[in-house]
Structure formats: C-alpha cells, structure tokens
C-alpha cells in the first residue's frame, strides 16, 4: 500500500487502487486525515474490508438467487421463470462452488455433464447467466470453455392445408388458426380479449403466459414490435362470434394452455404429424415466403424484430401495400377453406 503524503492544506492524503474503469484508466479512492497515521489507517481499514468481502464464500447458487431477486420486478415473469429453471436444473455440479474460485476447468466439467441430456443453446444460456450474476458481485471473468455442437432442428412439418383439415371443427380450431393464419404466439393468442377487436381490426397488445400451471397476464408483449394490428378475416371472426362473452374484457380463448397443447398433440399423433403450437407460426412464415411477401410486411404481421430487414420505425398504419399483403394471405387460407367446404357438399 502507498504512503500518505502531506497536502498543501496541511492534511495527509493517501490513494488506494480499487480497479480499472471502462476506459481502461485506473480508479483510485482517496483518504484524507489530519495526520499521516490516521490517513493510512483509513486506507488500511478500507483494504481489509474489501479483502474480507472478497473472500467471504458466495456460492454460484447464492449469486444466482440474489441476482434473480434483484431483477424479479424488472424483468418479465417468463424471463424470471427461465432464470429459476437454470438455477434448479442447469450446471448443477458447480452450484455450491464459491464464485471467487470458480474457474474454466470447473465450468467445463459442468458443461460436459449437462451435454449428455441438454442442448448447446440451453447450456450456453446457463453459463451466460452465471457470468452475469457474478459480475453483480464485481467478479468479472470469462471462462475458456467448449460447448457441444449445435444439432440442426429439422422438422418435416405438415402443410397449411393438412393442418387446416386436422383442426377444422375441433375445440382448438380458433387458437390454431390465430397462430397459423395471423402468426400469433400462444401467449398472444391466449391474451386476446373481445375489446381488442374494433371495426374488424385486432390489436395484439397483451400476453397470457402459463408459468408453473398458473396464468400470468402481461399488458405488454414480448417486444416493442410485437404490439401490432391485424385485419381479422371473416372466417376467424365467425369463430370468435361463437365464443360466449360477458364483457369486452373477457378472453377470447377460454381454454387453458394445457388443453390447447394436449389436444394439438393428440390430433398430431392421430394424423402422424410431429409439430408444436409454435410450429404454426413457422407455417405462417412459410406461407408468406411461398407467396413472395416482402420481409418488411412479413415481419410487421408476425411482430418480429430484426435490424436487417426492418430498419424503419414501426407504425400502426395500413398502407395500400400492406392491405394487398393481407388480401393475398387471407386469399390463400380462404381458398383452402372453400376447397374443404366444397368437399363437404
């Protein structure tokens, strides 16, 4: 530690190195006292407390818990739920390790263990969360580790027509069509209220998530661009009009996430398909690609955010070009419907 020096004012001052700033410059803390001894004692006490704090045992689990609590009312419930999943079921072999001694070798062993049953992306997310939590305790480190290779997630999805035929007339036809036709997420589908539709225009502005088998309603969407307006096709409107309601704040989709998931899974098994509810959004994207819909309008309809294709500020407008896009997509699904109705005659 440095020695205190006398100032022009007659006091004694000493500086202690405390770290390096974002600009790479050294950061020092000054202690001033009437005597050299007092100034040096202040500095010594500061260093001792810092070292004591540094060496108190803070496990990875404790660091994660404190980080999650610090963010609980700032981040979305789904994000917090994801963090808690990592806490309880990811990289478990290092959860009781002191964050001040955790090194690349320990992290790599934990990654190797998880690689037996978990995907590379999942493991990477867990590692990144741990690094972020450690930084909250001023432990800034990066681990030199290797992740398992990414495995391509290739699915042989049924066509939009096959899905339409499969769900038509079932109790999950409406939620599935809202995803496949209008490109809504499951949380957005379940968050829709009757009051969100005015003059045939649907405003997607809310999500209802299932977390721990309990519904959590958020009056905001996943991203800024997720809040959007869509023209409701007549066929979907006819299905919505059949749903009983008491007020405009009633949810349009009144079945639970578990029911939607379970019934779709059963229908797929009966028809030999392998798909999830989220795959319905993928089908919508495929339809737009097949129809040659420009990225700008595809992203707008689906509520996706991307710097490469949507550089302009999103606005809730219905330009002539956008109307033509809606008409082409609606025309595709309406033609499918007409074909099925003709077969019924």
């Amino acid at each position: 530690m440095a020695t205190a020096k006398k100032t022009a004012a007659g006091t004694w001052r000493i500086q202690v190195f405390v770290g390096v700033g974002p600009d790479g410059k050294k950061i020092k803390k000054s202690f001033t006292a009437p005597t050299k001894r007092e100034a040096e004692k202040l500095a010594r006490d500061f260093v001792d407390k810092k070292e004591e704090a540094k060496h108190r045992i803070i496990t990875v689990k404790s660091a994660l818990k404190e980080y999650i609590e610090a963010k609980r009312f700032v981040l979305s419930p789904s994000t917090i739920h994801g963090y808690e999943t990592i806490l309880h079921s990811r990289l478990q072999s290092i959860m009781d390790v002191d964050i001040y001694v955790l090194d690349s070798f320990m992290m790599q062993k934990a990654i190797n263990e998880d690689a037996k049953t978990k995907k590379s992306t999942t493991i990477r997310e867990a590692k990144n969360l741990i690094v972020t939590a450690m930084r909250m305790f001023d432990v800034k480190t990066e681990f030199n580790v290797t992740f398992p290779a990414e495995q391509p997630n290739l699915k042989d999805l049924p066509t939009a027509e096959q899905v339409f035929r499969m769900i038509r007339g079932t109790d999950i036809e409406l939620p599935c069509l809202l995803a496949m036709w209008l490109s809504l997420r499951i949380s957005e589908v379940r968050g829709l209220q009757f009051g969100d539709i005015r003059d045939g225009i649907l405003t997607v502005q809310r999500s209802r998530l299932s977390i721990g088998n309990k519904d959590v309603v958020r009056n905001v969407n996943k991203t800024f661009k997720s809040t959007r307006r869509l023209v409701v096709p007549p066929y979907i409107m006819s299905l919505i009009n059949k749903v009983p309601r008491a007020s405009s704040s009633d949810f349009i989709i009144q079945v639970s996430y578990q029911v939607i998931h379970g019934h779709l899974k059963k229908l797929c098994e009966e028809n030999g398909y392998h798909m999830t509810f989220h795959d319905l959004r993928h089908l919508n994207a495929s339809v737009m690609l097949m129809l040659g819909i420009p990225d700008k309008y595809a992203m707008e309809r689906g509520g996706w955010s991307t710097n490469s294709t949507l550089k302009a500020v999103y606005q809730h407008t219905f330009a002539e070009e956008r109307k033509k896009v809606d008409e082409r997509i609606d025309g595709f699904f309406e033609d499918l419907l007409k074909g099925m109705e003709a077969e019924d005659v």
Side-chain angles (χ1 to χ4, degrees):
M1 190 173 65
T3 302
K5 296 181 180 179
K6 197 169 187 177
T7 67
T11 57
W12 291 82
R13 186 178 68 178
I14 184 172
Q15 291 184 316
V16 177
F17 172 75
V18 295
V20 178
D23 56 0
K25 294 182 179 180
K26 292 181 179 180
I27 301 174
K28 295 183 179 181
K29 184 174 178 64
S30 296
F31 298 91
T32 304
T35 67
K36 177 181 179 181
R37 182 176 180 181
E38 288 176 301
E40 291 180 347
K41 184 177 186 307
L42 289 173
R44 192 162 46 249
D45 289 346
F46 171 79
V47 171
D48 289 345
K49 287 181 180 179
K50 186 179 178 184
E51 288 299 313
E52 181 182 348
K54 181 178 178 181
H55 289 100
R56 73 185 177 96
I57 296 178
I58 302 174
T59 64
V60 172
K61 182 182 291 184
S62 297
L64 284 176
K65 284 182 177 179
E66 292 194 38
Y67 180 81
I68 291 171
E69 289 307 312
K71 302 289 185 178
R72 186 170 295 278
F73 301 108
V74 178
L75 302 176
S76 71
S78 57
T79 299
I80 293 298
H81 180 68
Y83 288 174
E84 290 176 335
T85 299
I86 290 174
L87 171 66
H88 298 299
S89 61
R90 307 285 188 269
L91 303 177
Q92 292 299 290
S93 67
I94 59 172
M95 284 297 157
D96 293 326
V97 175
D98 186 348
I99 62 174
Y100 294 106
V101 300
L102 181 63
D103 57 23
S104 296
F105 180 72
M106 297 176 188
M107 179 64 78
Q108 186 67 68
K109 286 185 67 176
I111 290 172
N112 289 348
E113 187 64 29
D114 273 20
K116 298 175 184 177
T117 56
K118 297 175 177 64
K119 295 181 179 179
S120 179
T121 302
T122 301
I123 300 172
R124 193 182 298 271
E125 289 173 349
K127 173 260 183 185
N128 289 342
L129 179 62
I130 290 172
V131 169
T132 302
M134 290 171 64
R135 285 175 180 162
M136 191 173 72
F137 293 90
D138 293 326
V139 181
K140 299 178 175 63
T141 184
E142 275 299 335
F143 298 103
N144 183 20
V145 293
T146 303
F147 295 95
E150 294 282 359
Q151 297 297 323
N153 186 21
L154 301 177
K155 283 187 176 182
D156 186 13
L157 295 178
T159 65
E161 180 177 0
Q162 289 172 321
V163 173
F164 211 151
R165 291 179 181 278
M166 177 181 72
I167 63 174
R168 190 170 174 229
T170 69
D171 61 341
I172 61 169
E173 179 181 11
L174 178 55
C176 289
L177 284 184
L178 287 167
M180 185 175 71
W181 195 326
L182 296 184
S183 195
L184 270 62
R185 302 174 178 89
I186 180 63
S187 60
E188 294 171 340
V189 167
R190 298 187 62 246
L192 295 178
Q193 295 178 353
F194 289 100
D196 296 330
I197 303 176
R198 291 188 180 183
D199 300 324
I201 304 298
L202 171 65
T203 300
V204 184
Q205 59 186 342
R206 187 185 308 99
S207 58
R208 183 160 55 132
L209 305 101
S210 178
I211 300 177
N213 290 329
K214 293 182 179 180
D215 282 347
V216 177
V217 178
R218 297 180 62 218
N219 290 318
V220 292
N221 283 320
K222 185 176 181 180
T223 65
F224 172 70
K225 288 184 171 56
S226 294
T227 300
R228 58 205 188 273
R229 287 177 180 164
L230 301 165
V231 176
V232 183
Y235 181 72
I236 289 183
M237 197 68 238
S238 69
L239 295 177
I240 292 175
N241 288 334
K242 294 177 183 177
V243 180
R245 75 195 76 175
S247 69
S248 62
S249 62
D250 285 352
F251 289 107
I252 295 174
I253 303 303
Q254 299 172 0
V255 294
S256 68
Y257 168 83
Q258 289 74 22
V259 168
I260 295 173
H261 173 78
H263 287 195
L264 179 61
K265 182 179 179 181
K266 185 174 184 294
L267 285 172
C268 287
E269 289 174 348
E270 291 173 351
N271 288 272
Y273 302 144
H274 300 281
M275 65 181 299
T276 65
F277 191 92
H278 192 72
D279 287 331
L280 295 172
R281 259 170 69 85
H282 294 170
L283 274 179
N284 179 269
S286 298
V287 168
M288 289 192 285
L289 179 63
M290 178 187 66
L291 296 176
I293 304 301
D295 285 346
K296 176 179 179 180
Y297 302 113
M299 294 294 175
E300 184 178 339
R301 276 182 62 98
W304 287 291
S305 297
T306 173
N307 292 330
S308 60
T309 57
L310 281 183
K311 297 180 181 178
V313 176
Y314 176 73
Q315 296 178 338
H316 291 304
T317 58
F318 286 92
E320 288 303 315
E321 294 84 355
R322 167 63 193 277
K323 289 180 181 178
K324 292 176 182 177
V325 165
D326 292 339
E327 290 170 359
R328 291 175 65 186
I329 296 171
D330 290 348
F332 171 82
F333 285 103
E334 286 166 357
D335 286 344
L336 294 183
L337 179 62
K338 289 176 183 177
M340 288 184 282
E341 289 176 339
E343 293 176 1
D344 293 340
V345 176

